[in-house]
Amino acid sequence: MSFDSKEWRMNNLYRIIDRNSDSIRFELNSVQKDVLHNLHNRNIILKARQLGMSTFAVLYLLDEVIFTKNLSAGIVSYSLEHAQHIFKKIIGHALDSWLPKISSLAEVTQRSAREVTFANGSSLRVDTTLRGGSYPLVLVSEFGKTCARNPQKAEEVITGTLQAVPANGCVIIESTGEGNSGFYVDMVTQSSQRGNESLSNLEYKLFFYNWTMEPSYVLHDKVTYDVTLTDYFDKIEKETGKKITQPQRNWYAIQSKVLGDKIKQEFPSNVSESFLSSSDAYYFAESIAKAYQDNRCLYTSIYDALLPVYVAMDIGLNDLTVMVFFQLAHGEIRIIDYYEDKNKDVPFYAKFLLQDKKYHYHTIFLPHDSVKRDPLDIDNSYERDFRRLFSSTGTKFHVLKKMDKQMQISHARIKLDRCVFNVAKVKIYVDMLSKYRKKWNESTGRYLDEPYHDVSSNYADCHQYMCQGVHHLETIGSQSGALEKHKQAVESRNRRVL
């Protein structure tokens, strides 16, 4: 026995409960061994499902506190249920199944539902937050879920828990991808772009393991799938330089049929796929992804100087104001430009529209609450001010009616299938639409049919107002037969592409 070797201890001292509910000795697999040999002070592990990374990370911390004196370690989980699972099923089982002849090495002096303390003065705590403590060794488990479901808690982890870890301490953040926004997405993206060379102690090292790293993800039965999936496998092989075997292709094809668009979140082939989620949490992400696939996100100008320009805006009193510029042609809703600013008054925006954005405006659509104004200036309203400042032009103004929020979102979803974006000018706008999401209810463990208010909601509200404006124009007959014209435009575009 070689207790001085971390790898030997990990391979010989701990038992786990496997997928078949059997108690077996834990042995490092190839990806776990790779992490063990290459850990940095700050680590992010992005992986596919069922690679055993969560179990490895928990046992890594447990081993550290058992064999290091006076070490405080903490594990942050995304939910209380998950925290209890970690403590009971992984930590608890590992401690309870130690051989009697070596159990003295892990003498427990105190053990509660969330924390265990050892005779060597070290302790390991598992909770949804580590507020009020200082931990040189921290594991954040499934941080992607925390970011997607509870952004406030995620911010607390970033600004509180992780900031308290000393530079010479160790942080391990492990998760699959969930959604396309939040701290975890940003941290992975930054680490991926920067690379793992010459890192300081405070810079995060990225470990990524895709689904092909799991030996059990194979199926030897014959499976038929279309050429699109074959092209996908060939593309991934070219990107990674690694062959995807036929049994692996068969397995993935079956999983793809079961999971649909979520296959890339659960079993990514590269880093970017981890965040290509059509999760139920995101209102417009799937529609935006479809716009890219349908060649409706263009880097060339789609502005037609002969057509009128319409503007829809979400006016923020103490928040962000977003306006979108669009045209209607052949049934398409062409998003040609956008603008955002904050803490500006109506004269500023009017001057901006008239002097900086010299479009020929037909109608400017204002939100239903634009008839109101700051209580300190009750004589005026946004609508009245805009009409006055545009009085010398032929621009019309239309105040939209207040709609039920879910109806408004549903309406916008339908209209998104007709939208064409000039992403050279509106890339941020498009990205923000894809990040618009629902609130997460921790007590029920599900998403609410209610938007989560963050910066993306300002863009989404603006887009919903735009869709209301389109509906108004089509209702009054200025754009009759829009759907049929849109179909003809799509067919024409496809013929041009071919």
Side-chain angles (χ1 to χ4, degrees), residues 460-480:
D461 287 346
C462 178
H463 193 78
Q464 290 162 43
Y465 293 140
M466 183 206 72
C467 293
Q468 274 188 264
V470 172
H471 179 73
H472 169 77
L473 293 169
E474 293 176 348
T475 299
I476 63 175
S478 63
Q479 294 291 331
S480 59

Side-chain angles (χ1 to χ4, degrees), residues 243-312:
K243 182 175 177 57
I244 303 175
T245 66
Q246 190 59 54
Q248 286 178 317
R249 294 180 179 219
N250 295 343
W251 179 90
Y252 188 94
I254 292 296
Q255 294 299 320
S256 181
K257 291 177 182 178
V258 174
L259 295 173
D261 290 338
K262 290 188 178 181
I263 181 69
K264 291 180 179 174
Q265 174 186 304
E266 300 296 318
F267 302 103
S269 296
N270 53 44
V271 171
S272 60
E273 280 189 0
S274 303
F275 306 111
L276 294 178
S277 169
S278 61
S279 165
D280 293 339
Y282 293 84
Y283 289 108
F284 301 143
E286 190 171 355
S287 296
I288 295 298
K290 188 174 185 296
Y292 276 102
Q293 293 169 5
D294 293 346
N295 196 35
R296 289 185 285 114
C297 292
L298 308 175
Y299 285 89
T300 54
S301 176
I302 54 176
Y303 169 61
D304 188 335
L306 299 179
L307 294 175
V309 173
Y310 305 94
V311 180

Side-chain angles (χ1 to χ4, degrees), residues 287-420:
S287 296
I288 295 298
K290 188 174 185 296
Y292 276 102
Q293 293 169 5
D294 293 346
N295 196 35
R296 289 185 285 114
C297 292
L298 308 175
Y299 285 89
T300 54
S301 176
I302 54 176
Y303 169 61
D304 188 335
L306 299 179
L307 294 175
V309 173
Y310 305 94
V311 180
M313 61 176 68
D314 174 48
I315 301 173
L317 294 176
N318 298 306
D319 207 345
L320 193 67
T321 290
V322 179
M323 58 182 72
V324 63
F325 302 77
F326 64 101
Q327 294 181 298
L328 303 179
H330 309 296
E332 293 179 338
I333 305 169
R334 297 180 178 177
I335 315 299
I336 61 172
D337 209 343
Y338 99 102
Y339 179 72
E340 65 179 66
D341 214 323
K342 60 173 58 176
N343 300 322
K344 299 294 192 301
D345 55 13
V346 172
F348 173 87
Y349 291 120
K351 181 180 178 182
F352 173 80
L353 288 169
L354 291 170
Q355 297 184 11
D356 295 346
K357 295 287 186 183
K358 296 181 180 180
Y359 294 118
H360 174 62
Y361 301 111
H362 181 283
T363 305
I364 294 178
F365 293 97
L366 301 174
H368 64 87
D369 55 359
S370 62
V371 295
K372 300 178 181 178
R373 186 62 186 254
D374 191 309
L376 297 178
D377 191 5
I378 59 175
D379 292 334
N380 290 313
S381 68
Y382 281 103
E383 176 198 9
R384 189 176 296 124
D385 280 358
F386 271 118
R387 290 185 186 277
R388 174 175 55 82
L389 293 168
F390 276 77
S391 59
S392 61
T393 72
T395 303
K396 300 177 182 179
F397 285 85
H398 180 81
V399 178
L400 299 164
K401 294 181 180 180
K402 186 175 182 179
M403 285 183 66
D404 173 77
K405 194 62 180 175
Q406 294 306 315
M407 183 80 70
Q408 196 176 33
I409 292 171
S410 177
H411 188 217
R413 270 177 168 165
I414 295 171
K415 289 282 194 292
L416 266 170
D417 287 340
R418 291 169 50 195
C419 289
V420 181

Side-chain angles (χ1 to χ4, degrees), residues 21-259:
S21 299
D22 295 325
S23 177
I24 63 171
R25 180 165 60 87
F26 176 78
E27 292 185 68
L28 294 164
N29 61 31
S30 60
V31 297
Q32 294 164 344
K33 190 177 295 186
D34 182 65
V35 173
L36 178 64
H37 291 168
N38 295 285
L39 274 175
H40 180 57
N41 296 91
R42 300 293 186 271
N43 307 276
I44 299 179
I45 304 172
L46 175 65
K47 35 74 172 183
R49 288 282 177 207
Q50 300 296 320
L51 294 184
M53 202 54 66
S54 297
T55 300
F56 160 78
V58 172
L59 291 180
Y60 179 90
L61 265 67
L62 177 61
D63 183 80
E64 286 293 300
V65 295
I66 289 175
F67 289 92
T68 306
K69 292 182 179 180
N70 303 316
L71 175 64
S72 295
I75 301 175
V76 181
S77 172
Y78 67 90
S79 70
L80 183 59
E81 291 77 12
H82 187 239
Q84 292 171 339
H85 168 80
I86 290 173
F87 200 89
K88 182 178 180 180
K89 297 295 185 180
I90 303 179
I91 297 173
H93 183 75
L95 291 174
D96 294 338
S97 58
W98 268 53
L99 296 174
K101 61 181 179 180
I102 59 172
S103 60
S104 60
L105 295 173
E107 183 180 348
V108 175
T109 58
Q110 187 175 352
R111 182 170 167 179
S112 65
R114 300 183 190 178
E115 187 169 5
V116 57
T117 304
F118 298 93
N120 64 358
S122 295
S123 64
L124 177 58
R125 177 183 170 192
V126 185
D127 212 331
T128 57
T129 178
L130 296 179
R131 186 191 296 115
S134 179
Y135 299 86
L137 179 57
V138 169
L139 164 64
V140 184
S141 182
E142 292 296 348
F143 192 45
K145 290 185 182 294
T146 304
C147 293
R149 300 177 179 184
N150 196 328
Q152 291 93 341
K153 185 182 291 184
E155 183 173 3
E156 181 181 302
V157 171
I158 292 291
T159 60
T161 300
L162 299 187
Q163 291 300 313
V165 179
N168 62 349
C170 182
V171 173
I172 301 174
I173 300 174
E174 63 86 16
S175 184
T176 51
E178 180 155 336
N180 54 20
S181 65
F183 289 108
Y184 186 61
V185 177
D186 293 342
M187 293 172 77
V188 169
T189 302
Q190 291 168 10
S191 297
S192 178
Q193 292 173 347
R194 183 186 58 240
N196 288 338
E197 300 299 323
S198 303
L199 298 177
S200 71
N201 285 2
L202 296 178
E203 290 178 305
Y204 281 86
K205 183 175 185 178
L206 177 63
F207 297 83
F208 172 68
Y209 302 102
N210 70 16
W211 62 277
T212 64
M213 302 294 288
E214 170 53 48
S216 67
Y217 290 165
V218 292
L219 181 64
H220 295 283
D221 297 335
K222 185 176 180 180
V223 175
T224 58
Y225 48 85
D226 61 33
V227 68
T228 303
L229 207 49
T230 300
D231 292 342
Y232 169 74
F233 292 136
D234 294 343
K235 177 173 99 40
I236 297 302
E237 283 186 340
K238 187 175 181 180
E239 285 180 3
T240 62
K242 297 180 180 179
K243 182 175 177 57
I244 303 175
T245 66
Q246 190 59 54
Q248 286 178 317
R249 294 180 179 219
N250 295 343
W251 179 90
Y252 188 94
I254 292 296
Q255 294 299 320
S256 181
K257 291 177 182 178
V258 174
L259 295 173

